[in-house]
Amino acid sequence: MNTQDIPDIEYLFELADLFKVFGDSTRLRIMVLISDRELAVNDIAEALSMEQSTISHQLRVLRQNKLVRARREGKQMYYSLDDDHVKKIIEMGMDHILE
């Protein structure tokens, strides 16, 4: 690879920031939990034995980074992965560490 093939530094900074979001085990646990189904905050908190406020904070970070999306139903918010790319990143990471 020569220097012309290296992406622009701004893209690399964005990529580094994305990986920082994946660098938190609580956020990863949330993403794995909602990778196949959408769940409400209280369901996520119960499944992970954590406070709802902690889960809400982490979901906010995940939404800001476009990794998770929310759907409102009445007063309840339901969360799921934003798209298949997010699930693939997690799966590829798991494949790598289990190799």
Side-chain angles (χ1 to χ4, degrees), residues 76-90:
Q76 192 73 266
M77 294 291 284
Y78 291 89
Y79 295 88
S80 59
L81 293 182
D82 191 63
D83 60 31
D84 283 341
H85 293 112
V86 180
K87 187 172 183 176
K88 287 178 185 175
I89 292 168
I90 295 167

Side-chain angles (χ1 to χ4, degrees), residues 8-21 65:
D8 184 71
I9 191 74
E10 292 302 317
Y11 292 122
L12 294 177
F13 282 139
E14 286 183 41
L15 183 59
D17 287 342
L18 176 67
F19 284 131
K20 286 178 190 175
V21 177
N65 286 277

Side-chain angles (χ1 to χ4, degrees), residues 52-67:
Q52 284 188 21
S53 60
T54 302
I55 299 301
S56 292
H57 170 73
Q58 297 301 343
L59 285 166
R60 188 169 28 262
V61 172
L62 291 168
R63 284 183 70 193
Q64 289 170 344
N65 286 277
K66 299 178 180 136
L67 298 171

Side-chain angles (χ1 to χ4, degrees), residues 71-78:
R71 178 183 64 82
R72 180 178 295 281
E73 190 174 296
K75 292 184 178 184
Q76 192 73 266
M77 294 291 284
Y78 291 89

Side-chain angles (χ1 to χ4, degrees), residues 24-35 37 39-52 54-56 58-59 62:
D24 181 274
S25 61
T26 299
R27 289 191 289 261
L28 275 173
R29 291 174 69 204
I30 292 169
M31 289 188 289
V32 167
L33 188 62
I34 63 173
S35 65
R37 63 190 180 279
L39 292 172
V41 175
N42 57 323
D43 296 326
I44 298 168
E46 185 178 319
L48 299 180
S49 301
M50 298 179 78
E51 296 291 325
Q52 284 188 21
T54 302
I55 299 301
S56 292
Q58 297 301 343
L59 285 166
L62 291 168

